[in-house]
Amino acid sequence: MRSLFFVSVAVGILSGTTISVKAQTSISLERLGKRIQPRFIENIEVRRDAVPVTAAVAVVNQVPVVKKVEKPAIAASAEFGRTIETCTPLQFKYAQLMDMEVESVTNFDLINFIEGWWAVRYRFGGVTKRGVDCSAYTGQLINAVFGYTMPRTAREQYRVTQRISRNELSEGDLVFFNTRGGVSHVGVYLGNNRFTHSSSHSGVTISSLDDPYYSKRFIGGGRINEAPAEPEATASAE
C-alpha cells in the first residue's frame, strides 16, 4: 500500500497533477515513515486545483514552505531622502520652479537674488522694488551675482555680449527677445530652458523658453566675456 501511495505522488508530479489532503485527515511524519493505514489512503484524493505536491507534503510534515523575499531597492530612495532633508526650502522651491533636481540648484546667490525681487511689478523705466523693467532687473542681477556692470538698455546689453545659440546657453547668459520691434526684452538664463526676467504681465518671475510666446520671439543668447562699459542712464525698451 505504501508503494501505491508513492507511485500516485510520482504520477501526480509528472502529469502536473497536485495532491491535497482533507482537513480532517491527520497524517504525521512518523506514520508516513512507517505504515499508512487504508483509512488514510481513502482520505487522500487527487485534484488538479489543489495545492502543489511540495506544499501538501510540507503541510503533512509540518515543515514550513520557505519563500524567497526580494529585498527592496532602498539605496536610491534613501539617498533622495537625505537630499531632501539637507536642502533648504528656497532650494526646493526653485528646483520646482525650474523643474530641476534639488541637488543641481547650487547657486544660492542667484536664487536669493531672485527671491528678493520675486513678483515685483513691471514698470517701464523702473529700477527699484516699487517697479522694475526688464533690462534694469537683468543688469542688477548680473552685477550682484556675477560681478559684471551692464549697460542700461536691452539693446545695449545685446550689443556688448557675445552671440550664442539656444543650445549653448548656460547659467548667467542673457536671453533676448523681439516683443515689439528689434531687441526689446531681456532675461537671465537659469538652466533647463528656464530664465528669470521682469515680465510686463507677471512682474519678476521665471518663464520657459518653450513657452509659445517666448519661443516665437526669441532672438538669441548673449554671453558676457568681460565687464562692459559704464551703464547708460536712459530707460530701456520693455
Side-chain angles (χ1 to χ4, degrees):
M1 191 64 70
R2 181 168 56 182
S3 4
L4 178 59
F5 170 76
F6 287 108
V7 168
S8 300
V9 170
V11 171
I13 293 173
L14 293 175
S15 64
T17 304
T18 58
I19 298 177
S20 66
V21 181
K22 290 186 177 180
Q24 68 269 23
T25 303
S26 175
I27 302 178
S28 68
L29 181 62
E30 181 180 358
R31 286 173 178 168
L32 281 177
K34 293 182 179 179
R35 183 167 178 268
I36 302 177
Q37 299 297 332
R39 59 192 180 88
F40 293 118
I41 295 300
E42 293 172 356
N43 284 327
I44 300 176
E45 64 181 54
V46 177
R47 291 168 46 198
R48 291 185 180 275
D49 61 343
V51 295
V53 171
T54 54
V57 173
V59 170
V60 171
N61 293 340
Q62 298 181 352
V63 177
V65 177
V66 179
K67 297 177 71 176
K68 183 179 179 181
V69 179
E70 298 293 338
K71 293 183 179 180
I74 61 172
S77 60
E79 181 61 30
F80 177 76
R82 284 193 292 271
T83 301
I84 293 298
E85 288 176 0
T86 56
C87 80
T88 67
L90 200 61
Q91 190 179 13
F92 185 78
K93 171 184 175 179
Y94 282 90
Q96 296 296 304
L97 288 170
M98 294 184 284
D99 193 24
M100 297 168 65
E101 298 293 335
V102 174
E103 60 269 24
S104 66
V105 181
T106 57
N107 192 334
F108 293 100
D109 289 338
L110 178 58
I111 62 175
N112 277 313
F113 183 92
I114 299 171
E115 182 68 11
W117 284 81
W118 188 259
V120 169
R121 70 184 182 91
Y122 174 86
R123 184 167 70 87
F124 182 78
V127 296
T128 70
K129 291 184 180 180
R130 291 179 295 179
V132 66
D133 64 24
C134 65
S135 58
Y137 171 70
T138 296
Q140 292 187 59
L141 186 156
I142 292 297
N143 182 260
V145 178
F146 299 100
Y148 293 103
T149 302
M150 299 298 294
R152 175 64 179 86
T153 68
R155 289 187 181 92
E156 284 299 305
Q157 291 175 2
Y158 182 80
R159 185 181 65 82
V160 299
T161 53
Q162 174 191 345
R163 300 283 67 78
I164 56 174
S165 64
R166 177 170 169 173
N167 59 11
E168 295 175 303
L169 290 169
S170 62
E171 183 184 271
D173 288 332
L174 304 188
V175 284
F176 297 95
F177 305 88
N178 178 356
T179 55
R180 56 186 188 189
V183 179
S184 52
H185 189 62
V186 60
V188 178
Y189 188 74
L190 302 173
N192 196 31
N193 288 323
R194 303 303 198 275
F195 66 100
T196 181
H197 61 131
S198 179
S199 161
S200 58
H201 300 290
S202 306
V204 174
T205 189
I206 290 174
S207 299
S208 172
L209 289 174
D210 294 325
D211 183 295
Y213 178 83
Y214 293 108
S215 64
K216 286 195 307 182
R217 292 164 174 79
F218 180 70
I219 295 174
R223 179 160 296 165
I224 306 166
N225 290 322
E226 58 183 19
E230 289 297 317
E232 297 177 356
T234 58
S236 69
E238 182 192 345

